């Protein structure tokens, strides 16, 4: 528990590393099938963030039997099965409890064969930071919940495409590009996870705000006040760990909580083209958003 890695690692007698993780979330979209896909991609992501590939999954469900029909659960599971198939990860079983609020997710077991797992304590000075998905899903979720965004608006559809996308490709590209360390961007937002990452590695991350990719229209929504409550909590919790100038709106963007966000990897600068090539037709982008500096006063410096 020294630093919050994405998953637990168990060294097996063979020398391979077993990766064990669990994650469940409350609905963030209205469509049950899409929610199942997002929850599943989100649960599997921590295995990829450790540099592994998933082997098996167990389903965990808290279901409000009194307020929702079972058909909803059926659809959610069907959506998640599509993603598990894509991940080549069989579902072995699961457990359901009756609860007032619907929550859905998986415990996923993965493996790293031969090599080392990635961890957040190994970012090397001189390496660059690459991010494999745009940020802004917290703003989108808030926009949906508050009725500001329609389910079929281009922004919502784009964010959905991103949230259902497995981080498998980013993990493979990271291996090809000799990544030293990695995490996935989730509830603490890009800046929160980056700060944890830098602290664990005993370095400072320089983050280039203009290089950070967002879904089209996110900055405008933030300026108009569509902000996830968690973004403010994240920012106030991490304020003291961030150097450089950060406007109110930049802070709310960089701390926007992500659901099924992208991978943030530290790779040698000379490997950026290898990384991009390995991702080739990955539509969500692979952006160099900063670099790893020797340790300074702050975990993160925004430029
Ligand atoms: Co994670
Ligand atoms: Co997680």
């Amino acid at each position: 528990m020294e630093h919050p890695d994405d998953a637990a690692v168990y060294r097996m007698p063979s020398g391979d590393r077993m990766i064990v993780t669990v994650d469940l979330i409350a609905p963030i979209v209205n469509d049950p099938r899409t929610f199942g896909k997002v929850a599943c991609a989100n649960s599997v992501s921590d295995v990829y963030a450790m540099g592994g590939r998933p082997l098996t999954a167990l389903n965990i469900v808290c279901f409000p039997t009194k307020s929702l029909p079972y058909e909803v659960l059926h659809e959610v599971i069907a959506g998640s099965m599509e993603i598990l198939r894509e991940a080549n990860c069989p579902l072995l079983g699961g457990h359901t409890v009756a609860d007032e609020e619907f929550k859905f997710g998986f415990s996923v077991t993965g493996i790293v064969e031969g090599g080392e797992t990635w961890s957040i304590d190994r970012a090397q000075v001189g390496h660059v930071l690459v991010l494999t998905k745009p940020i802004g899903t917290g703003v989108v979720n808030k926009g949906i919940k508050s009725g500001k965004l329609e389910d079929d608006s281009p922004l919502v559809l784009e964010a959905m495409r991103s949230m259902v996308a497995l981080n498998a490709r980013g993990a493979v590209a990271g291996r090809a590009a000799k990544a030293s360390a990695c995490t996935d961007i989730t509830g603490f937002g890009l800046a929160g996870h980056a700060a944890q990452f830098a602290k664990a590695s005993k370095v400072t991350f320089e983050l280039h705000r203009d290089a950070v990719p967002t879904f089209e229209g996110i900055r405008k929504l933030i300026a108009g006040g569509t902000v996830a409550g968690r973004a403010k909590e994240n920012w106030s919790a991490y304020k003291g760990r961030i150097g450089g100038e950060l406007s109110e709106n930049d802070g709310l963007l960089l701390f926007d909580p992500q659901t099924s966000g992208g991978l943030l990897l530290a790779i040698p600068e000379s490997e950026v083209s290898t990384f991009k090539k390995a991702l080739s037709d990955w539509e969500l982008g692979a952006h160099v958003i900063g670099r790893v500096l020797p340790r300074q006063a702050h975990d993160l410096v925004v430029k």
Side-chain angles (χ1 to χ4, degrees):
M1 303 307 284
E2 205 176 317
H3 55 72
D5 245 320
D6 293 290
V9 179
Y10 180 82
R11 191 186 297 115
M12 293 190 284
S14 63
D16 296 337
R17 307 301 205 267
M18 182 169 74
I19 302 167
V20 192
T21 178
V22 60
D23 217 313
L24 68 168
I25 58 172
I28 41 138
V29 285
N30 296 317
D31 177 54
R33 190 169 279 252
T34 306
F35 170 56
K37 291 182 185 181
V38 171
C40 184
N42 186 64
S43 292
V44 183
S45 179
D46 282 324
V47 170
Y48 297 125
M50 299 299 289
R53 63 177 176 87
L55 288 178
T56 61
L58 294 170
N59 191 199
I60 302 165
V61 186
C62 304
F63 195 71
T65 43
K66 290 190 185 113
S67 58
L68 280 180
Y70 275 112
E71 288 77 57
V72 170
L73 182 55
H74 190 263
E75 274 296 293
V76 171
I77 291 173
S80 71
M81 290 300 294
E82 285 182 44
I83 299 300
L84 283 179
R85 257 191 298 273
E86 194 186 322
N88 213 349
C89 177
L91 180 68
L92 299 190
H95 189 76
T96 307
V97 289
D99 199 354
E100 308 228 315
E101 196 199 358
F102 187 18
K103 294 170 216 85
F104 186 88
F106 294 87
S107 171
V108 184
T109 300
I111 191 167
V112 173
E113 281 141 316
E116 267 297 322
T117 50
W118 289 334
S119 164
I120 58 169
D121 62 358
R122 289 170 209 158
Q124 286 173 32
V125 172
H127 282 191
V128 294
L129 300 166
V130 288
L131 180 66
T132 62
K133 287 183 183 180
I135 62 170
T137 66
V139 172
V140 171
N141 296 339
K142 179 73 183 183
I144 294 171
K145 284 216 169 91
S146 62
K148 273 218 178 88
L149 290 173
E150 298 291 335
D151 282 4
D152 57 355
S153 69
L155 171 57
V156 170
L157 294 176
E158 196 194 347
M160 292 306 151
R161 265 196 297 279
S162 174
M163 286 191 279
V164 304
L166 284 168
N167 279 325
R169 300 275 306 281
V172 170
R175 284 283 180 210
K178 305 183 179 75
S180 61
C182 176
T183 193
D184 59 346
I185 305 305
T186 51
F188 294 105
L190 174 62
H193 285 282
Q196 292 176 5
F197 197 159
K199 188 182 179 195
S201 294
K202 301 186 178 70
V203 294
T204 291
F205 282 178
E206 181 181 273
L207 195 67
H208 306 145
R209 95 189 71 203
D210 294 332
V212 173
T214 66
F215 299 108
E216 182 91 37
I218 290 295
R219 286 174 196 273
K220 218 171 162 184
L221 279 162
I222 291 177
T226 303
V227 173
R230 178 90 189 267
K232 292 173 194 165
E233 288 167 27
N234 284 340
W235 194 10
S236 75
Y238 281 85
K239 219 180 322 197
R241 295 168 60 172
I242 317 287
E245 266 170 53
L246 204 55
S247 70
E248 173 89 15
N249 288 351
D250 278 339
L252 293 171
L253 172 67
L254 295 177
F255 282 104
D256 182 55
Q258 304 303 291
T259 303
S260 191
L263 296 182
L264 178 66
L265 306 102
I267 64 172
E269 193 163 15
S270 57
E271 299 289 335
V272 170
S273 59
T274 303
F275 186 80
K276 290 189 172 176
K277 210 183 210 171
L279 275 173
S280 63
D281 62 341
W282 174 255
E283 285 169 3
L284 298 163
H287 299 260
V288 176
I289 61 163
R291 58 199 180 111
V292 184
L293 302 177
R295 181 68 196 177
Q296 301 171 11
H298 295 99
D299 293 331
L300 191 65
V301 175
V302 179
K303 270 196 146 175

